[in-house]
Structures are given as structure tokens and as C-alpha cells.
Amino acid sequence: RREIQIAVDTRPVSPTDPNPDRLAAEVTEQRATIYLRAPDAFPPHGVLHELLHIHRFWVDGIPQVLPVHDPDGERLQVTGSIENALEHQIIVPREAEYGFEPYSYWNETERRLWGQYPWPAITNQWARRKNSLLGWLTVSRLVSDDQVKAQAADCLKKEGLFDEAQRFATRIAGVIESKPRSISATLRFLKIPIQDVRLVRFNVLTEQRDFIPIPEH
């Protein structure tokens, strides 16, 4: 019996964002908001995508990973990237059940993203590796265009990460139905200490956060 709020996202868009018109959702144990890019921009496909995110967290009770300490907000960006990469594995194929073709969006988005390689603005090696592994997870499952897949694979080979990215995608495919196990595997591949994050379920009925144990690697 809760409303989902709608608001316009006034945050500036990164110049390297491959899809600056995308919608976003913010979900807590008390409220959920879908952010539009403009007051008159209400694309049904994009709205459905965000509703599926909210359904996962509120109705299905799927937990999400959050940083324990995050004084400057950078760690939340990292866990947010992990969340999107994992949740999209489940959500995007479901869009077809509602009459939408789910893969064209990702073909074009990933074409633009990997077309920016060698990513001169990203100088931190850990960040490059994280983006490479999570990026290939998206390409391996959500991209149907063979040219885009080949482009991403070529970039990863230049980074020296293609074999590891493949192992990561294979491992996640085997545990994707279990969010705790998916998070555990992702932390191991990304070399994030398990004590730096927590797995949180937003219990909208009690307005409380339930903490879920993360399995050991």
C-alpha cells in the first residue's frame, strides 16, 4: 500500500555516460522513487525496468550490497555498479514478459561504452579491472550483437583480462539465482574485503533493514 514517487533527476550527467537519458530508481526500507530525466519524459520501457528493480527489493525481498563505511560516497558508487550488473542479469530478460524487446538497448549502450576504450579518464588500475569484469558480465548475457561482443572481447584482451572476465561471468551464471552467493563471488573476483560491505534486505513491512550473512568465498 505504498506509493512509488516520481521525481526529476537534476544531478549532472557524466560526459562519459553511454546512456545519459536513462532513468534511475532509489529504494529504501521506507520509500521508492523513480527519477526521470525531464518532467515530460516517461518512457514505458524505462519505467518498467525501474519497477522491476523495486519489485525485486520490496516484493521479492532480494538483498543488496552496501558499504559499511563510506565517508565520501565513492564506495556506494562501487556497490551500485555491482548491484546493477547482478540485478540486470535477472531483470532485463524479464522485460520480454511485458512486451518489450530487452536487448537492443544493451547492444547500443555497450557499443558506445566499449567504443570509448581505452578509457583515458580511468587511470586507477583497480577501477579499470572492476569495470572490465562487470562490463563483460553485462556483455556476455545481455548483448545479442556479435560485433559488440567481439569489440568488448578485443578491449579485454588488450587489458589482459579476457580470460579472467570469462571465468567471472561463468561463475556468476552458476550462482545468479542466489544473491548472497553472487555477491560473495563478485567480492572475491573484485578483491573487495568481505568485512567492508554488508548485505541488506529492505523490509518495507516493518520499515527495518535486515542484515543477511554473506557466504565465505
Side-chain angles (χ1 to χ4, degrees), residues 3-216:
E3 291 184 350
I4 295 174
Q5 303 298 315
I6 302 294
V8 175
D9 194 344
T10 59
R11 293 170 293 187
V13 179
S14 169
T16 59
D17 192 326
N19 203 330
D21 295 328
R22 76 187 189 286
L23 276 59
E26 185 177 73
V27 187
T28 73
E29 64 274 24
Q30 297 176 324
R31 62 184 61 87
T33 304
I34 294 176
Y35 287 98
L36 312 177
R37 297 307 307 183
D40 57 349
F42 198 80
H45 191 172
V47 172
L48 168 73
H49 180 88
E50 302 308 327
L51 288 173
L52 290 173
H53 273 296
I54 297 168
H55 191 280
R56 288 269 292 171
F57 295 138
W58 270 8
V59 181
D60 294 339
I62 302 300
Q64 61 178 292
V65 66
L66 294 171
V68 174
H69 300 292
D70 190 28
D72 54 12
E74 289 188 2
R75 293 185 177 184
L76 186 61
Q77 293 183 7
V78 172
T79 57
S81 296
I82 293 172
E83 275 298 315
N84 271 332
L86 293 178
E87 286 296 307
H88 287 164
Q89 302 291 298
I90 302 292
I91 288 172
V92 171
R94 289 182 179 173
E95 295 170 2
E97 300 173 13
Y98 298 86
F100 294 99
E101 193 286 305
Y103 301 114
S104 296
Y105 172 95
W106 295 101
N107 288 338
E108 189 55 37
T109 297
E110 295 302 311
R111 187 193 312 278
R112 290 195 292 264
L113 179 64
W114 294 93
Q116 296 173 3
Y117 187 83
W119 310 317
I122 306 175
T123 57
N124 180 279
Q125 289 303 310
W126 183 88
R128 293 180 69 88
R129 183 173 173 277
K130 182 261 296 181
N131 288 355
S132 294
L133 267 61
L134 293 179
W136 181 252
L137 182 63
T138 297
V139 169
S140 65
R141 177 160 171 118
L142 304 184
V143 167
S144 60
D145 188 315
D146 289 339
Q147 288 186 336
V148 177
K149 288 185 175 182
Q151 180 185 29
D154 183 60
C155 295
L156 288 172
K157 289 172 183 176
K158 292 176 181 177
E159 286 288 299
L161 291 170
F162 181 63
D163 290 342
E164 187 173 12
Q166 283 191 306
R167 288 194 296 270
F168 174 58
T170 299
R171 175 57 179 160
I172 294 301
V175 296
I176 192 60
E177 296 301 327
S178 168
K179 190 65 175 289
R181 293 178 67 194
S182 298
I183 290 296
S184 180
T186 302
L187 296 178
R188 176 169 63 86
F189 271 91
L190 297 185
K191 302 178 181 179
I192 297 175
I194 200 169
Q195 64 269 21
D196 286 357
V197 298
R198 58 182 57 176
L199 200 55
V200 180
R201 176 184 291 126
F202 293 145
N203 190 329
V204 70
L205 298 179
T206 63
E207 297 190 349
Q208 300 294 320
R209 294 189 173 193
D210 303 327
F211 298 102
I212 312 300
I214 300 175
E216 293 293 334

